[in-house]
Structures are given as structure tokens and as C-alpha cells.
Amino acid sequence: MNYVHKSVLLHESVDALQIKPNGVYVDGTLGGGGHSEQIAMRLRGGKLICIDQDERAIERASRRLETYMDRITIVHGNFRELGEILDRLQVQRVDGMLFDLGVSSPQLDETERGFSYMHDAPLDMRMDETQSFTAREVINGWPEERLRRILFEYGEERYASRIASAIVRRREERPIETTTELSDLIRSAMPAAALREKQHPAKRSFQAIRIAVNDELNALSDMLGVAAERLATGGRLAVISFHSLEDRIVKNAIASREKGCTCPRDFPVCTCGFVQTLRSVTRKPIIASEEELEENPRARSAKLRVAERV
């Protein structure tokens, strides 16, 4: 099957990095390779490190990037391992890093991956298919309160309690095995008013379960800390998020490194030792243009935040 993946905020994010032809850059979420292709095109003697935990994505992107492989190093791994990956490659400082936190079109369209509530498939949702932990273990094994919490916190699902209770009742009868079973169960647990919303009733819950399976939020926090440390002075960090929880983590991570000293104002000297390491390039996130939304509706919830190492 031929997949057409449209990279979100492609030119806005790559332009924000202010690519230097001889610089060193990281695309921490290779995906379809669209962002990497634009970065690699601008390099002359520089280096691009591409990271992805999805081996299928790496295989597809490698074909797309074949022309530029003289300046690209592709790594199968999770961006939470950013520090270890850079150490292995003997890279101490990076001139720019880009992270697109969305699920790519091929991942959604590959039915058997179990990311989509629109197709029937086994409950999987693994970004890295070499890991053993799947959505089936979350749905059939986690206690009701833990299910409720991830649905509420990761999916911002206001009917989390009702959905978690319905899941536990059903699995007492038999295991929940497929995305269709889960989607129908979520729908049945929600009040009539919620079913009249434009958004699919299972969207928030599937998002929450995917985040839990792949431990995405902890990975994001780990990555942001390392990224801030490994950027060279003047280097840029660009992060594209797709829901408010991710965006809040990115925003707060930048803000905490932007404030510098946290001592009370009446202290005569600084004792906290905390210095400013990042500054926001734009105070508000960059969002997709109307033209992009017409071509790619999946960009509607995307937010780009950019920070610079000081």
C-alpha cells in the first residue's frame, strides 16, 4: 500500500530551526520523513540525526531520504533516550532539534496497528513493535481506578469513570480483544448528549490508552530536559504537539528554563543556582494556516512551540 503522509507545520517548524548548512540537527520523531527531508536539503557538510521507535516508519522514511543519506544517521530508538543516543554518536552539542508528537498517517491507516477506532483490529497501539506491552494489557489488566485516571488525565475524558466501570464489567465476562469492541463499549457508556458531539466518542479514550501504552508523557518530560542541556548556544528547539496535555508539558518545560533564578526577590545573592537556559521565540504557539487545514485536516489541533538556548 502506498501511504501519503503530510508533515504538519512543515515549513514553519523547519524555518524556526534557522538551519546552518554545517550544523548538527536532530529530528527526534522521524515518522514519514517530511521534516527530515527539508532539514537535510539545507545541509552542506552538516549532520542530521533521525530517531524513531517505529521500524516501519524508519523503513519508509529511509527510502524517501535516500538522496541525502550521506548527511543522515538513522537510529531506532525512543526520543527519551536522546542523551544516550547522542553519547553513542559522540555528539556533545546540537544546533537544533525538532519533535513532532503526533501519530503519523501510516500508523493510523495500518489497520492492524490498532491505533484507530475507525477500523477493527487487535488492541495493540505500540509505536515500537519490538516491545511486548500492548493496549490489550492496559484494557484487560489495569485496575479500574488506574484506568479512570489515565482516561481523565491523558485523554481529558469527562466520562472517564463511566467508561472505566464499563470496561471492568465487560472484562469480567470475557477479555476485550479488538478496537471495535472497545470503541462500541466506550460509546455505550456515554450519555446521549455526548454522542451528539462532532468528535467520535472514542477519540479521547483511544488517545489516552495510546499515551499509556507508549509511556509518552514521561518520555516527553525526559526528552525536554536533555534537549535543553544538549543544545548549543543559539540552538533552537521546535516541538509540535497535538493535545492540550502535551502542549502544557512543553510550555511549562520551556517556562521553567526561561525564568532563571527562583530565589525570593529580597535575597541579596542567588542561592538556588538556577540559571536561564532557554527563551521562548514566540509567546503563543504557532498553528496551521487555513490553507494547510484545507489540505490536511489532521493539522487542526497542532501547536508548534519554539525555544532558543541562551
Side-chain angles (χ1 to χ4, degrees), residues 168-181:
V168 171
R169 288 195 302 271
R170 175 65 61 82
R171 76 189 190 192
E172 287 175 352
E173 301 171 9
R174 64 181 187 279
I176 301 166
E177 301 284 358
T178 70
T179 54
T180 297
E181 283 183 79

Side-chain angles (χ1 to χ4, degrees), residues 49-245:
I49 300 163
C50 302
I51 304 168
D52 207 292
Q53 58 185 326
D54 186 338
E55 291 180 318
R56 298 196 205 188
I58 288 175
E59 182 181 351
R60 285 190 297 269
S62 296
R63 293 194 294 269
R64 178 174 186 169
L65 300 171
E66 185 175 3
T67 304
Y68 307 103
M69 291 307 293
D70 61 325
R71 64 202 75 170
I72 292 175
T73 300
I74 296 179
V75 179
H76 175 234
N78 191 309
F79 61 50
R80 78 184 310 162
E81 303 159 351
L82 177 62
E84 292 91 333
I85 291 169
L86 293 178
D87 286 343
R88 282 203 308 272
L89 297 175
Q90 298 183 319
V91 174
Q92 295 304 312
R93 288 286 180 265
V94 176
D95 296 295
M97 302 189 190
L98 188 151
F99 300 89
D100 177 348
L101 306 181
V103 180
S104 70
S105 299
Q107 288 169 329
L108 290 171
D109 296 336
E110 289 167 344
T111 302
E112 73 277 10
R113 303 290 296 273
F115 286 109
S116 175
Y117 43 77
M118 302 299 290
H119 306 287
D120 191 34
L123 281 172
D124 193 325
M125 301 194 194
R126 291 172 298 169
M127 295 286 192
D128 182 352
E129 293 179 280
T130 64
Q131 77 174 40
S132 59
F133 187 67
T134 69
R136 189 185 186 282
E137 280 70 53
V138 172
I139 294 301
N140 292 290
W142 283 14
E144 181 175 340
E145 174 54 27
R146 192 176 184 188
L147 283 174
R148 184 205 65 78
R149 182 170 57 81
I150 67 159
L151 293 174
F152 181 74
E153 293 181 3
Y154 296 175
E156 299 178 315
E157 174 54 72
R158 58 189 182 279
Y159 301 110
S161 294
R162 297 173 66 148
I163 294 170
S165 295
I167 289 171
V168 171
R169 288 195 302 271
R170 175 65 61 82
R171 76 189 190 192
E172 287 175 352
E173 301 171 9
R174 64 181 187 279
I176 301 166
E177 301 284 358
T178 70
T179 54
T180 297
E181 283 183 79
L182 179 59
S183 179
D184 290 345
L185 184 59
I186 292 168
R187 181 188 294 273
S188 70
M190 300 177 80
L195 301 179
R196 290 193 291 269
E197 297 177 0
K198 290 183 179 180
Q199 182 170 272
H200 191 286
K203 180 177 181 179
R204 290 183 292 267
S205 295
F206 268 61
Q207 169 187 290
I209 296 160
R210 187 204 80 222
I211 290 172
V213 169
N214 297 287
D215 196 23
E216 293 178 21
L217 298 186
N218 286 330
L220 175 58
S221 295
D222 292 346
M223 175 275 289
L224 290 169
V226 174
E229 294 172 2
R230 301 299 284 263
L231 279 172
T233 301
R236 292 283 186 92
L237 170 66
V239 185
I240 303 170
S241 61
F242 287 82
H243 61 83
S244 58
L245 186 55

Side-chain angles (χ1 to χ4, degrees), residues 6-12 35 240 242 286-300 302:
K6 296 181 179 178
S7 299
V8 172
L9 294 168
L10 176 61
H11 298 292
E12 292 89 342
H35 293 108
I240 303 170
F242 287 82
I286 299 167
I287 60 175
S289 65
E290 289 300 322
E291 291 78 11
E292 179 172 1
L293 292 177
E294 287 182 13
E295 295 181 2
N296 185 13
R298 286 176 175 171
R300 187 166 301 279

